[in-house]
Structures are given as structure tokens and as C-alpha cells.
């Protein structure tokens, strides 16, 4: 019987909830995702073995012939043995190790099994399970690990004969979101809210057989959303060539598991610092180029500036924030014919001075910036500040009517309130995409946005931007946005200063009243 989405999600969360006695919720993902993926691999391997046995029953194969046929025609990976040739020999499968949960040393057996799977399948699963520190009894007691595995075993068989990849991938995304909702900053570092991802993918509009690249890919959500968009349009999502780089090895493992469980095979996820050590390069050493580049990089990240790097068009971003360095890397990664890039960043990149202003000027002078889209505040798990999507096109590839200017969209008021943050509904996403794709009259006003609530858009010619000192603050160009586009941090600082001044004034007033013999006021 097919498994419902709700059923698998509930049972997976029951398994995760067993960890509450041993670690904070922010650490659940490091345990649950490797165990879930291991169960998926084991269930899939056993299902395909049963298929092989059923379809070849009675045929007189030698052991070598049977192995060759099974792994040529049925299996796409191997589940090997651990401790081969010893009394402890057993298959490195979920079911095999689950049968031993009451014996001492469970964490060691789990670790040995996961390492054996990585070693037996280096092209697919090298380092996919991460550091596995949780397999130590000092980190996760054996009885808790046993309880998690026993609870997860109540999840029905996780193979294509029992559940669709849509259900399986949806369950994985459910856990990502649940961990992010419950644990804030740490989880938010590798999970961008789904609706923000969908908006960015809709704007960049990947097509069949294109290459897609996320230089800060986190859990791989943007890569998966690109394939899902094509699938939803009855196109060929599986034909996309997906590439991602992630600085944190365990998070890169989460991304690779996520892609596998969405039945996406044509991908590469590399580990490393994208700015310091980009892993996708051409033979001449320059960065590889792609059709679609999209990212939600870490905001305001301190970094070691480049000393000599061809990506540094317009100058080098300051050490205090790598925001524009990520943009420069993405621009360098755009293919010359179809290359387009979209990045989510805080509003400071639009108007900050110094080295960032020089980079911004060069990007504008080269007519690479296509659009600036202001998003609502409080969309993300790890920050409440308002952000913007910046869209870039390879040199000379912007639509003729949009060359020599930039499309500005104010979507700061287009959202719905949820429990912990603001969200974008499907209607909100469609409205923002419509504003981005709008046609504009000679005065830069949209001609087809009548009746759209909570949105404003304008095409601004390059001459006006130059007159404003290359400042891209949305409030300069869409006046009703001005009050809402102020940086939240600046507003908080101003409030704190005003509050301190008020407290000082109150103390002086109370001291003067007391000196005059007037009492009865509370200090």
C-alpha cells in the first residue's frame, strides 16, 4: 500500500523526537539525515535484490555471474559487508544492524556500516554521511541511538516500489523546514525558505538541459527547486546539470542526500570555500561558467580579500563583508550566451560606499544588472532584516528594451504573516514574477500591473542612477518604498540612542525636582 506524505513525516519526526533527551534540537539534523538516508539506501538495495532474484529464479548462474548481472542491471550502488572474514561479519544494511540494537557497541557498528558504504561507492557517496561524531557513546548514548533507529524503522519501506520520490523528497524537505523552524540560526544557515527559493527559480527560469550552479548550496534546495519547476511544467527536470559548492562538509552531505532522495542523479556537490577555493574550474584555471547561477550566501561574512583574482571586476570587496565578492564570483560564472544570475542579499549592498560602491559602479557601467527586487522583512529563519534579489545577465544579453537601465520592484508589502516569520504565498510569488517581467512605458511605468495589490515597479534609466551616484536604494526610485526599505539595524541603533538620551534627560529632571524639594516621582 502506498505511503502518504503525512504518515512518513509524522513517523520521521517521532524518530527525531527521541533525541530530545540527549541533544538540543539544533543538532538533530546531524543524526536524523544520515540515518534516514542509510535506511533509504538499504531499503532500495534490498528491493532491487528481490527484483533480481524474482526475475532470475531458476537460472543456473555462478556466484560471479549472478553478481555481475545484479549490479549491471538492477543495483546502482553496493551495500557491502563490515568486518568481512570475522565472526562479526554482517551486511552494512539498516536491517542487519537494527537486529543488534540491544548489544553493546551499536554506535561503532553504525559508524563502520556508513563508512563501508562510502568506501564501496566512492563516486556516489564519498564523505556523504559527514563526520559522524554522533556515533560516539559520549555524544549519543547507545540506548538513545537504539530508540531513534527503532522509531525510524516504523517508517514504511523507503523505495520506489512503496513510495514515490515526490513523497520521499517531500519528507526530507519537511524535516529540513522543521529543524529550521525549531532551531533558528544554526539550521537557517543551510535552509533558505522554500518560497524564496521558488521565487528566485521562477525569475531565472531554467530550461531543459541547462546547467545550474549554486556557489553556497547549503542543503541543495535551489538545485532541487530548479528541477521541480521544469517537472511542474511537464518538462525534463532530470536533464538539468546541477552543480553546488558548500563550505561545511556535513551540510554538503545533507545536500547530496537531498538530491539523491529527489531522484536527481546528474549533480556534483563539492566541498570548499567558494571565494578562496572555487572547485568548478576550466582547464585554464578560470571559473567554470553556467547557464543559471543562484544563491543565498551568508550575509556580511568577514573574509580574506583577494590579492589578485580575475573575478574582482571593479575592485575587491572589503574584509568586513564578502557580499559583493559573492556577486563578483557569480558574474564570473555566467555563461556568455545564456548566463543569468540571481542572488539574495541585504539592502546594504545597494547603497554602501567605499570599495563596494566602486564594484557597484563597474557592474552598472557594464550593464550587467537587470533587476533589483525588494522583499518583505522577516522572511528568513536567521535574520529579520529585509533583503533584495539582484538579477544579472551576461554582457549584451539583456532584452533590448531593458538595456541601459534597471528594473526596480518593491515587494516589501506583499506577504502573509505566519507563526514565526512572514511568508510568500503562491499568489505573492506570481505577482512578484509578473512585476519583474512587466512591460514599461516611455516614462518607466509598468503597463500591465493595474489592480496588483502591494507591489510597485519601475524601469529606471541608467542616466538617473548615475545622477544618484550609483546608489540603488529602492526608495530613491519607488518613493512609497522609502520608509519601509530602511535598514532594520539602523532603525534599532537610532532607537537605542534615543532611548539612552531620554533616560539621561529623565535623570537630570528628577535630580532638579529633588533639589527643589518636589518628591513623589519614580526613578
Amino acid at each position: 500500500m502506498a505511503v502518504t506524505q503525512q504518515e512518513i513525516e509524522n513517523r520521521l519526526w517521532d524518530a527525531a523526537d527521541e533525541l530530545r533527551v540527549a541533544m538540543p534540537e539544533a543538532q538533530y539534523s546531524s543524526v536524523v539525515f544520515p540515518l534516514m538516508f542509510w535506511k533509504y539506501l538499504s531499503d532500495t538495495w534490498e528491493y532491487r535484490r528481490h527484483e533480481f532474484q524474482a526475475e532470475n529464479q531458476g537460472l543456473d548462474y555462478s556466484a560471479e555471474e549472478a553478481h555481475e548481472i545484479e549490479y549491471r542491471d538492477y543495483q546502482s550502488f553496493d551495500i557491502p559487508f563490515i568486518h568481512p572474514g570475522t565472526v562479526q561479519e554482517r551486511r552494512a544494511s539498516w536491517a542487519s544492524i537494527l537486529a543488534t540494537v540491544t548489544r553493546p557497541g551499536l554506535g561503532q557498528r553504525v559508524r563502520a556500516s556508513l563508512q563501508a558504504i562510502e568506501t564501496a561507492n566512492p563516486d556516489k557517496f564519498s564523505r556523504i554521511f559527514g563526520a559522524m561524531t554522533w556515533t560516539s557513546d559520549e555524544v549519543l548514548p547507545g540506548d538513545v541511538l537504539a530508540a531513534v533507529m527503532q522509531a525510524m524503522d516504523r517508517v514504511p519501506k523507503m523505495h520506489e516500489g512503496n513510495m514515490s520520490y515526490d513523497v520521499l523528497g517531500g519528507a526530507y524537505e519537511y524535516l529540513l523546514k522543521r529543524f529550521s523552524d525549531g532551531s533558528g540560526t544554526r539550521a537557517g544557515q543551510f535552509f533558505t525558505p522554500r518560497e524564496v527559493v521558488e521565487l528566485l527559480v521562477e525569475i531565472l527560469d531554467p530550461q531543459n538541459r541547462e546547467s545550474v550552479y549554486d556557489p553556497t548550496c547549503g542543503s541543495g534546495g535551489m538545485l532541487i527547486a530548479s528541477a521541480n519547476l521544469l517537472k511542474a511544467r511537464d518538462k525534463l527536470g532530470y536533464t538539468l546539470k546541477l552543480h553546488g559548492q558548500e563550505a561545511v562538509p556535513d551540510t554538503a552531505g545533507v545536500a547530496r542526500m537531498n538530491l539523491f532522495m529527489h531522484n536527481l542523479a546528474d549533480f556534483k556537490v563539492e566541498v570548499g570555500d567558494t571565494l578562496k577555493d572555487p572547485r568548478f574550474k576550466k582547464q585554464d584555471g578560470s571559473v567554470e561558467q553556467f547557464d543559471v547561477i543562484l544563491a543565498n550566501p551568508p550575509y556580511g561574512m568577514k573574509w580574506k580579500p583577494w590579492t589578485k583574482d580575475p573575478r574582482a571586476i571593479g575592485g575587491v570587496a572589503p574584509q568586513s563583508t564578502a557580499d559583493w565578492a559573492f556577486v563578483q564570483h557569480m558574474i564570473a560564472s555566467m555563461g556568455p550566451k545564456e548566463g543569468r544570475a540571481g542572488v539574495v542579499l541585504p539592502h546594504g549592498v545597494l547603497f554602501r560606499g567605499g570599495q563596494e560602491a566602486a564594484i557597484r559602479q563597474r557592474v552598472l557601467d557594464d550593464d550587467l544588472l537587470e533587476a533589483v527586487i525588494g522583499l518583505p522583512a522577516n522572511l528568513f529563519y536567521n535574520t529579520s532584516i529585509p533583503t533584495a534579489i539582484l538579477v544579472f545577465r551576461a554582457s549584451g544579453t539583456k532584452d533590448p528594451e531593458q538595456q541601459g537601465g534597471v528594473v526596480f520592484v518593491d515587494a516589501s508589502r506583499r506577504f502573509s504573516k505566519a507563526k514565526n516569520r512572514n511568508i510568500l504565498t503562491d499568489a505573492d510569488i506570481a505577482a512578484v514574477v509578473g512585476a519583474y517581467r512587466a512591460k514599461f512605458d516611455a516614462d518607466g511605468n509598468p503597463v500591465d500591473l493595474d489592480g496588483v495589490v502591494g507591489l510597485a515597479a519601475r524601469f529606471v534609466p541608467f542616466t538617473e542612477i548615475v545622477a544618484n551616484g550609483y546608489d540603488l536604494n529602492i526608495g530613491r526610485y519607488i518613493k512609497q518604498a522609502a520608509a519601509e526599505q530602511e535598514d532594520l539595524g539602523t532603525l534599532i541603533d537610532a532607537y537605542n540612542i534615543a532611548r539612552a538620551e531620554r533616560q539621561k534627560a529623565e535623570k537630570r529632571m528628577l535630580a532638579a525636582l529633588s533639589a527643589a524639594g518636589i518628591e513623589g516621582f519614580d526613578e
Side-chain angles (χ1 to χ4, degrees):
M1 184 178 67
V3 183
T4 67
Q5 189 80 45
Q6 189 68 49
E7 182 180 9
I8 186 173
E9 289 174 0
N10 289 343
R11 295 187 185 184
L12 284 168
W13 184 254
D14 288 344
D17 199 42
E18 294 288 346
L19 292 167
R20 68 188 183 281
V21 300
M23 59 179 57
E25 193 170 322
Q27 298 176 17
Y28 286 8
S29 60
S30 64
V31 180
V32 173
F33 287 137
L35 289 179
M36 180 183 177
F37 191 62
W38 181 30
K39 186 179 188 304
Y40 157 73
L41 292 179
S42 300
D43 289 349
T44 298
W45 186 88
E46 289 173 358
Y47 173 71
R48 292 175 180 169
R49 165 150 286 193
H50 291 152
E51 278 191 319
F52 162 72
Q53 292 171 338
E55 294 175 11
N56 294 273
Q57 189 173 10
L59 297 178
D60 188 20
Y61 294 135
S62 68
E64 291 78 9
E65 289 172 330
H67 184 273
E68 179 182 351
I69 293 169
E70 179 182 359
Y71 282 88
R72 183 192 66 199
D73 299 338
Y74 295 87
Q75 304 287 11
S76 58
F77 54 86
D78 187 20
I79 302 289
F81 288 93
I82 59 172
H83 310 305
T86 72
V87 295
Q88 296 179 312
E89 178 179 297
R90 61 175 54 248
R91 183 76 64 181
S93 68
W94 175 270
S96 176
I97 304 303
L98 183 69
T100 73
V101 293
T102 59
R103 302 178 200 169
L106 175 61
Q108 296 174 9
R109 290 189 296 278
V110 170
R111 185 182 185 89
S113 297
L114 301 187
Q115 288 176 330
I117 291 171
E118 290 181 335
T119 302
N121 306 274
D123 293 340
K124 291 180 179 290
F125 304 141
S126 176
R127 298 176 296 172
I128 197 168
F129 292 109
M132 293 182 278
T133 54
W134 52 271
T135 58
S136 166
D137 282 347
E138 288 74 26
V139 176
L140 186 64
D143 60 328
V144 179
L145 177 56
V148 175
M149 291 183 64
Q150 288 168 329
M152 189 172 289
D153 196 56
R154 290 192 282 273
V155 175
K157 293 293 184 180
M158 300 166 69
H159 56 71
E160 65 263 35
N162 197 46
M163 67 177 66
S164 71
Y165 281 104
D166 286 342
V167 170
L168 188 60
Y172 197 93
E173 290 185 17
Y174 161 79
L175 287 177
L176 280 169
K177 181 180 183 301
R178 186 76 183 258
F179 294 150
S180 295
D181 282 342
S183 54
T185 300
R186 185 179 184 275
Q189 290 173 349
F190 66 84
F191 183 74
T192 302
R194 186 172 185 172
E195 66 271 19
V196 177
V197 174
E198 290 177 354
L199 172 59
L200 189 54
V201 172
E202 285 274 3
I203 287 170
L204 296 178
D205 195 24
Q207 299 297 312
N208 289 343
R209 297 179 178 83
E210 286 194 316
S211 57
V212 181
Y213 171 51
D214 183 346
T216 58
C217 72
S219 61
M222 292 193 182
L223 302 177
I224 291 166
S226 299
N228 286 346
L229 177 65
L230 291 188
K231 183 178 178 181
R233 295 176 175 174
D234 295 324
K235 295 185 178 182
L236 308 177
Y238 63 87
T239 66
L240 292 178
K241 296 176 282 291
L242 305 174
H243 303 75
Q245 183 161 340
E246 170 56 43
V248 181
D250 281 9
T251 305
V254 169
R256 293 169 64 199
M257 290 183 243
N258 199 3
L259 287 155
F260 272 115
M261 295 181 79
H262 280 82
N263 198 29
L264 296 170
D266 192 1
F267 72 83
K268 293 181 181 178
V269 174
E270 299 288 348
V271 178
D273 183 329
T274 296
L275 300 180
K276 181 180 179 181
D277 181 26
R279 305 294 293 178
F280 296 99
K281 290 186 176 182
K282 300 177 183 177
Q283 289 186 343
D284 64 3
S286 62
V287 295
E288 191 172 340
Q289 294 181 316
F290 306 91
D291 299 311
V292 177
I293 304 97
L294 66 182
N296 177 31
Y299 305 157
M301 184 185 79
K302 293 183 179 180
W303 72 304
K304 184 177 181 180
W306 298 316
T307 53
K308 186 178 182 182
D309 196 296
R311 293 174 288 178
I313 63 166
V316 180
Q319 182 179 2
S320 59
T321 174
D323 292 347
W324 271 102
F326 282 112
V327 172
Q328 290 171 314
H329 172 78
M330 295 174 73
I331 289 173
S333 300
M334 291 193 300
K337 295 182 179 180
E338 302 291 340
R340 57 226 189 253
V343 59
V344 185
L345 287 169
H347 281 235
V349 300
L350 303 176
F351 54 79
R352 288 193 296 251
Q355 294 155 279
E356 291 185 303
I359 299 169
R360 193 166 59 245
Q361 177 174 339
R362 172 64 182 275
V363 169
L364 287 163
D365 285 343
D366 289 352
D367 203 10
L368 300 176
L369 180 64
E370 180 183 51
V372 175
I373 302 171
L375 300 178
N378 199 31
L379 286 178
F380 293 85
Y381 296 96
N382 54 348
T383 179
S384 61
I385 64 172
T387 54
I389 292 175
L390 278 66
V391 184
F392 301 89
R393 295 270 172 179
S395 180
T397 65
K398 289 169 64 173
D399 287 342
E401 61 269 24
Q402 292 186 350
Q403 292 179 5
V406 176
V407 174
F408 284 83
V409 178
D410 169 29
S412 61
R413 290 172 288 180
R414 188 72 194 225
F415 63 91
S416 297
K417 287 189 175 293
K419 181 179 178 181
N420 296 321
R421 60 185 184 87
N422 296 327
I423 62 171
L424 301 176
T425 65
D426 290 345
D428 295 330
I429 293 172
V432 175
V433 173
Y436 160 72
R437 294 179 180 161
K439 301 297 182 181
F440 298 88
D441 61 24
D443 295 323
N445 298 311
V447 297
D448 49 3
L449 281 185
D450 292 341
V452 178
V453 178
L455 276 177
R458 183 174 171 235
F459 177 76
V460 179
F462 185 54
T463 52
E464 184 175 342
I465 296 173
V466 172
N468 281 316
Y470 294 89
D471 188 324
L472 296 175
N473 193 334
I474 299 171
R476 284 187 176 274
Y477 307 104
I478 302 178
K479 298 305 180 184
Q480 59 265 39
E484 292 159 355
Q485 299 296 338
E486 292 185 70
D487 183 82
L488 186 61
T490 302
L491 293 175
I492 292 172
D493 289 343
Y495 166 76
N496 287 333
I497 292 170
R499 184 170 179 265
E501 290 298 324
R502 188 203 71 197
Q503 290 172 337
K504 289 179 183 177
E506 286 180 348
K507 286 183 179 180
R508 290 196 298 269
M509 179 190 72
L510 291 171
L513 291 172
S514 178
I518 303 172
E519 304 292 345
F521 290 90
D522 295 330
E523 295 197 26

